[in-house]
Amino acid sequence: TQLLEQSPQFLSIQEGENLTVYCNSSSVFSSLQWYRQEPGEGPVLLVTVVTGGEVKKLKRLTFQFGDARKDSSLHITAAQPGDTGLYLCAGIFLNTGNQFYFGTGTSLTVIP
Amino acid sequence: DAGVIQSPRHEVTEMGQEVTLRCKPISGHNSLFWYRQTMMRGLELLIYFNNNVPIDDSGMPEDRFSAKMPNASFSTLKIQPSEPRDSAVYFCASSLSQGPSGNTIYFGEGSWLTVV
């Protein structure tokens, strides 16, 4: 059983379209992170959200942490082929000593 | 600064052989993680060390897997004996615990293991 479920699992869209990826859990996290992984490489951190309801923007990417700190979303505006990759959310429990739990992942393909 | 360094980058071995994966975390980081990634199961946490001490090894699949961290700059993940179902990408990662907004986990490039 995965602690963090992501949806959709796979997403293929045309360049210029918008999309939203969801990360859901029944657990409350101290913070939540989003990573992107490209083929043949390890995941790379995009953003960390800490406060319930927090919204952060990174160029065309908008990240939101749920009010109850159990879920998060990633919205990409006007997707580009360079956005292609595996997007992973990761929840952090600080009371168990800096443990990271990764979501099931969303594989995004942006078609030129 | 050098990132997390893993070796070997690729390994193909026969079923029953011992496999040792190595990791050098980023200097100064106090947490080290071993993950396994497959298409079917995604990224799974195998074991987590804090200050060289194993904190949570509940993700280690079975007794065939073992991990050590003899010092702050080196860790190994060993599989003995290896089985075809162990084929996966094994990632080592490290972080410096700095509170809720300061933790970033840095991944190595992974060790691609194929057991035939």
Side-chain angles (χ1 to χ4, degrees):
Chain A
T1 303
Q2 289 280 2
L3 199 59
L4 284 159
E5 294 286 343
Q6 287 184 237
S7 62
Q9 188 176 359
F10 297 96
L11 189 56
S12 181
I13 61 171
Q14 294 290 329
E15 182 177 358
E17 292 184 352
N18 302 333
L19 66 114
T20 302
V21 176
Y22 299 93
C23 173
N24 295 297
S25 177
S26 58
S27 300
V28 177
F29 296 102
S30 302
S31 60
L32 191 140
Q33 298 181 329
W34 284 92
Y35 290 77
R36 181 168 69 206
Q37 183 179 16
E38 298 187 9
E41 299 180 5
V44 175
L45 178 68
L46 295 174
V47 77
T48 301
V49 285
V50 179
T51 308
E54 182 177 1
V55 177
K56 280 191 174 179
K57 291 192 175 183
L58 183 65
K59 296 183 180 179
R60 294 175 293 101
L61 279 61
T62 302
F63 305 85
Q64 184 163 8
F65 201 11
D67 291 342
R69 305 207 317 275
K70 293 182 179 181
D71 53 79
S72 181
S73 64
L74 158 61
H75 182 79
I76 301 179
T77 303
Q80 298 178 0
D83 297 327
T84 294
L86 179 67
Y87 289 82
L88 295 157
C89 62
I92 300 166
F93 293 111
L94 283 184
N95 62 346
T96 56
N98 194 29
Q99 265 178 305
F100 293 74
Y101 291 90
F102 280 84
T104 48
T106 295
S107 179
L108 171 66
T109 302
V110 181
I111 302 166
Chain B
D1 287 342
V4 176
I5 299 172
Q6 290 186 245
S7 64
R9 190 85 167 86
H10 297 273
E11 173 136 358
V12 179
T13 190
E14 290 185 346
M15 182 174 62
Q17 296 297 306
E18 177 180 292
V19 174
T20 299
L21 307 179
R22 297 173 177 80
C23 175
K24 177 178 168 55
I26 292 173
S27 177
H29 281 188
N30 58 358
S31 297
L32 184 139
F33 310 82
W34 282 101
Y35 287 90
R36 177 173 68 177
Q37 188 174 39
T38 61
M39 284 292 292
M40 293 296 294
R41 301 172 69 92
L43 198 60
E44 302 174 276
L45 177 65
L46 300 178
I47 188 168
Y48 153 54
F49 293 87
N50 194 43
N51 294 321
N52 311 339
V53 176
I55 302 300
D56 181 1
D57 65 355
S58 60
M60 296 286 263
E62 49 201 90
D63 292 345
R64 296 184 298 106
F65 285 69
S66 63
K68 294 182 180 179
M69 191 166 185
N71 56 62
S73 59
F74 184 67
S75 177
T76 59
L77 177 68
K78 188 173 292 187
I79 308 172
Q80 167 63 19
S82 59
E83 297 182 3
R85 60 192 169 119
D86 302 330
S87 298
V89 184
Y90 291 82
F91 285 102
C92 177
S94 70
S95 75
L96 175 63
S97 179
Q98 292 179 320
S101 61
N103 295 318
T104 298
I105 186 169
Y106 294 87
F107 284 82
E109 292 184 317
S111 291
W112 296 64
L113 173 66
T114 302
V115 183
V116 298

